[in-house]
Amino acid sequence: MSSMTGMALQKRLLLGLLVVSSVLFVYVLCVNVEGPLSWSIMPLRFSQVLRSDSQDSEEPLDRQINSDQRTHPPPVSTRTVPHEHTRATHTPTLKTQTSTAAGHKPAEEKVPDVSKSSSGSDAVDKAKTRTRTSTKGPTMQPRRPTQAPGPTEPPFIGDTYMSDNVPPQTDCPDGIRSRVAKTDFGGRFLKNIPVLQWANHTTREQHQRLSKYPGAHGWGGIDYKTLVETLSVLNSSANRQMLDDWENHSNGSECIRCAVVGNGGILKDSKKGKEIDGHDYVFRTNGAIIKGFEQDVGSRTTHYTFSTNTLMNSMRSYAGVGYKGPPLSEETRYIFLPDHDRDYLLMKAAATHTPVERGNERGKDPSKYFGKDVSARKLKMYHPDFIRYLRNRFLRSKALKTKYKDIYRPSTGATMLLAALHTCDQVSAYGFMTPDYKNYSDHYYDRSYHSVGFFINHDLRMEMTLWQQLHQAGLIQLYMHK
Ligand SMILES: *[C@@H]1O[C@H](CO)[C@@H](O)[C@H](O)[C@H]1NC(C)=O
Ligand SMILES: *[C@@H]1O[C@H](CO)[C@@H](O)[C@H](O)[C@H]1NC(C)=O
Ligand SMILES: *[C@@H]1O[C@H](CO)[C@@H](O)[C@H](O)[C@H]1NC(C)=O
Ligand SMILES: *[C@@H]1O[C@H](CO)[C@@H](O)[C@H](O)[C@H]1NC(C)=O
Ligand SMILES: *[C@@H]1O[C@H](CO)[C@@H](O)[C@H](O)[C@H]1NC(C)=O
């Protein structure tokens, strides 16, 4: 009798164990397929961005991704939202990040809602847990979600990045990297994201991983041979460091102060030139015309950001108002935003002082753009992981839920400003879009008023909201003409 009850008990225990372990198994499965951002709850309200202007856009150059792939959006008549900027509704969402590299504890923080419209309070951009480990050299950050099961996100997002240990150049006590943890941006900011790519990043494994992402977000469509041949010229420490000559710049200063200059009409008559030039570094982009505008925009350029496409378009579109090409000076560095193999090929040609070997720019002499004296040390190229990270974590536009997802990317100016945020200790931003953008012409060098245009390949309103949030968080100082 007693042995019978004993057996029954054993059976029951076994059954219980089985149930518990299968529940656990299912739970683990769910947790593992969870993405860091709740993808499915982002409502599709893209029509807001689909306003087409016949005028120039803030960055008309990026409009054209390929000659055959124009990105004029279909005009929207009924659902155009008011353009007046309303402060984004801050939807509190939980977000944590364990960053062993940064040595700070997981923190529960509010994440600013990056929805841009006044009526878009239902657009919640929710970020979840991310764990980041850091070892020497390029490593992958493992995903270790620790929250309840949620919807998956599509594979093209790829919110997992290489980690690169470029040691900090200063011990600035209140630099951005130390302040960011205390802000709403702490959870999404990765201190060891590779901002720049260089020779040592080209491995078969990395090629296999990044080939999944097209355009600026990966190496999709670029064969391994081309990649090795082109990136191998970026083989010095200057190529992997944004502010490679700080030792010659610092003059005893503890912190690196950067001015990032967009081309917005707000700079016209601003008289900010001296202030801009007074920074340690001055970043500019695309059709940055300096001659004749020094009082308002300054005259130095230490970092010039462009893609081959935007550069060629700038030379075409702004020749009439005085744009002759990238700024040329002893201190100028050139940072390619690689959208296409065109960028890799032009970069190699510039580094080796040879004509571009093939593609759209075939036969072109790079000294026409970067001067005769440019050396490989002065060339840099954004890492596709960095661009994808910016898109996923700072500028996750609703465009990604549309058929335009492959041509959407952060604008060149946004990439430049966010790159400075990840490499400088202090950032002042000038000439970026502000809520009263309608009061200013598209560019500071426009001869007559041109309204800002909105196109599907960028989300300028979302970027404008981000600048406001970064300014309010004290991470950048945004010039607002007030
Ligand atoms: C880059 O690769 C070269 C050649 O393989 C190697 O000698 C060098 O140590 C590497 N540099 C870094 C910083 O990993
Ligand atoms: C970098 O590449 C150039 C050729 O592109 C080569 O002459 C030079 O020795 C390389 N330097 C290093 C440190 O590998
Ligand atoms: C610093 O300046 C010296 C002298 O002009 C120069 O030789 C050296 O290459 C510079 N260093 C960097 C990192 O630019
Ligand atoms: C370096 O610092 C000294 C003392 O603060 C200052 O007088 C000098 O003008 C600075 N030099 C440069 C090049 O900024
Ligand atoms: C901007 O324009 C609005 C009207 O469109 C006007 O009320 C406001 O005063 C202007 N602001 C500035 C700074 O010019």
Side-chain angles (χ1 to χ4, degrees):
M1 251 336 228
S2 66
S3 76
M4 284 281 279
T5 37
M7 254 167 73
L9 201 73
Q10 242 177 12
K11 256 189 192 164
R12 234 178 262 171
L13 264 174
L14 213 74
L15 201 75
L17 210 74
L18 217 80
V19 167
V20 166
S21 54
S22 49
V23 163
L24 256 175
F25 179 69
V26 167
Y27 175 76
V28 165
L29 263 184
C30 287
V31 160
N32 268 314
V33 295
E34 183 210 357
L37 291 151
S38 344
W39 183 252
S40 62
I41 57 165
M42 277 171 67
L44 191 66
R45 301 168 107 269
F46 199 71
S47 52
Q48 298 158 11
V49 194
L50 292 176
R51 188 177 68 87
S52 172
D53 261 353
S54 53
Q55 306 280 17
D56 251 356
S57 89
E58 191 224 11
E59 215 179 34
L61 321 162
D62 285 4
R63 213 181 281 175
Q64 195 185 348
I65 299 297
N66 263 322
S67 46
D68 57 337
Q69 205 178 19
R70 291 183 188 268
T71 57
H72 289 261
V76 167
S77 46
T78 49
R79 297 196 57 198
T80 310
V81 293
H83 300 145
E84 286 70 38
H85 170 88
T86 327
R87 189 159 304 162
T89 6
H90 284 243
T91 310
T93 48
L94 289 182
K95 176 185 200 174
T96 55
Q97 177 184 21
T98 317
S99 177
T100 48
H104 65 241
K105 295 216 181 85
E108 272 199 346
E109 279 159 3
K110 280 183 181 180
V111 180
D113 173 14
V114 290
S115 71
K116 61 199 147 305
S117 82
S118 47
S119 52
S121 53
D122 53 339
V124 179
D125 182 64
K126 204 191 263 177
K128 288 180 188 153
T129 307
R130 197 103 303 271
T131 299
R132 175 182 172 74
T133 51
S134 165
T135 49
K136 265 205 156 168
T139 46
M140 290 298 298
Q141 295 165 221
R143 312 181 101 207
R144 204 191 303 157
T146 60
Q147 285 198 355
T152 48
E153 60 185 9
F156 78 86
I157 289 293
D159 191 28
T160 313
Y161 313 94
M162 206 184 93
S163 172
D164 207 7
N165 256 1
V166 180
Q169 291 174 277
T170 60
D171 296 317
C172 182
D174 61 344
I176 290 165
R177 291 152 72 95
S178 57
R179 269 181 288 140
V180 71
K182 292 171 228 137
T183 71
D184 287 348
F185 290 92
R188 68 177 99 163
F189 193 95
L190 297 179
K191 290 181 189 184
N192 286 334
I193 189 84
V195 176
L196 300 171
Q197 59 178 334
W198 67 298
N200 286 31
H201 289 153
T202 38
T203 63
R204 288 268 178 204
E205 288 118 288
Q206 291 297 319
H207 184 246
Q208 197 171 27
R209 179 177 71 87
L210 286 166
S211 290
K212 289 182 291 203
Y213 312 113
H217 305 106
W219 288 341
I222 301 174
D223 62 276
Y224 187 62
K225 185 163 168 282
T226 300
L227 210 59
V228 170
E229 281 172 6
T230 52
L231 280 181
S232 64
V233 300
L234 301 182
N235 63 0
S236 71
S237 60
N239 302 127
R240 67 189 287 231
Q241 265 189 330
M242 186 66 92
L243 313 169
D244 59 274
D245 59 349
W246 175 240
E247 63 193 59
N248 285 357
H249 257 77
S250 62
N251 195 18
S253 161
E254 247 188 324
C255 300
I256 305 177
R257 297 169 311 118
C258 299
V260 185
V261 187
N263 297 325
I266 192 171
L267 272 172
K268 191 169 166 58
D269 302 324
S270 68
K271 301 279 187 284
K272 286 285 160 185
K274 249 198 192 130
E275 185 181 308
I276 288 169
D277 280 345
H279 289 74
D280 298 314
Y281 293 97
V282 181
F283 288 61
R284 297 183 200 272
T285 186
N286 289 339
I289 305 172
I290 291 168
K291 196 159 181 287
F293 299 94
E294 291 88 346
Q295 282 213 334
D296 292 335
V297 307
S299 56
R300 295 174 57 210
T301 305
T302 62
H303 292 77
Y304 177 76
T305 286
F306 62 100
S307 75
T308 303
N309 186 51
T310 65
L311 174 59
M312 298 306 154
N313 284 341
S314 294
M315 298 198 60
R316 253 199 315 272
S317 311
Y318 306 133
V321 282
Y323 183 76
K324 295 197 168 64
L328 301 175
S329 79
E330 200 276 316
E331 64 174 353
T332 307
R333 270 77 177 136
Y334 301 96
I335 311 151
F336 287 76
L337 195 171
D339 250 343
H340 205 267
D341 60 0
R342 291 169 78 181
D343 298 289
Y344 293 88
L345 294 164
L346 180 62
M347 188 274 293
K348 183 192 173 192
T352 56
H353 296 238
T354 53
V356 180
E357 59 194 51
R358 60 180 198 272
N360 285 31
E361 279 66 51
R362 186 173 159 205
K364 284 196 172 148
D365 174 5
S367 71
K368 189 176 152 203
Y369 312 110
F370 312 110
K372 296 227 181 296
D373 304 325
V374 78
S375 65
R377 293 182 55 82
K378 297 207 171 167
L379 307 177
K380 303 173 200 290
M381 194 175 248
Y382 290 113
H383 197 293
D385 268 355
F386 183 63
I387 311 289
R388 207 172 66 260
Y389 153 81
L390 297 183
R391 178 195 71 182
N392 291 342
R393 295 185 174 211
F394 295 85
L395 292 165
R396 188 176 284 224
S397 171
K398 290 170 195 104
L400 292 170
K401 308 231 14 162
T402 72
K403 64 181 173 184
Y404 302 105
K405 67 177 166 49
D406 285 345
I407 59 167
Y408 169 76
R409 68 161 169 83
S411 72
T412 314
T415 304
M416 162 176 79
L417 179 44
L418 291 166
L421 189 79
H422 283 74
T423 50
C424 305
D425 293 318
Q426 288 163 27
V427 168
S428 316
Y430 304 85
F432 282 81
M433 204 163 129
T434 50
D436 62 347
Y437 66 88
K438 284 169 137 194
N439 289 33
Y440 314 105
S441 188
D442 199 356
H443 305 113
Y444 63 79
Y445 44 78
D446 292 337
R447 294 227 169 110
S448 59
Y449 182 89
H450 283 230
S451 61
V452 177
F454 295 88
F455 296 88
I456 201 88
N457 55 332
H458 303 310
D459 193 337
L460 299 185
R461 288 199 187 82
M462 183 178 241
E463 292 181 2
M464 176 177 79
T465 302
L466 179 61
W467 313 145
Q468 293 289 306
Q469 291 168 341
L470 286 169
H471 179 81
Q472 281 154 20
L475 294 174
I476 66 171
Q477 266 212 300
L478 178 68
Y479 172 63
M480 288 188 273
H481 199 197
K482 298 239 162 71

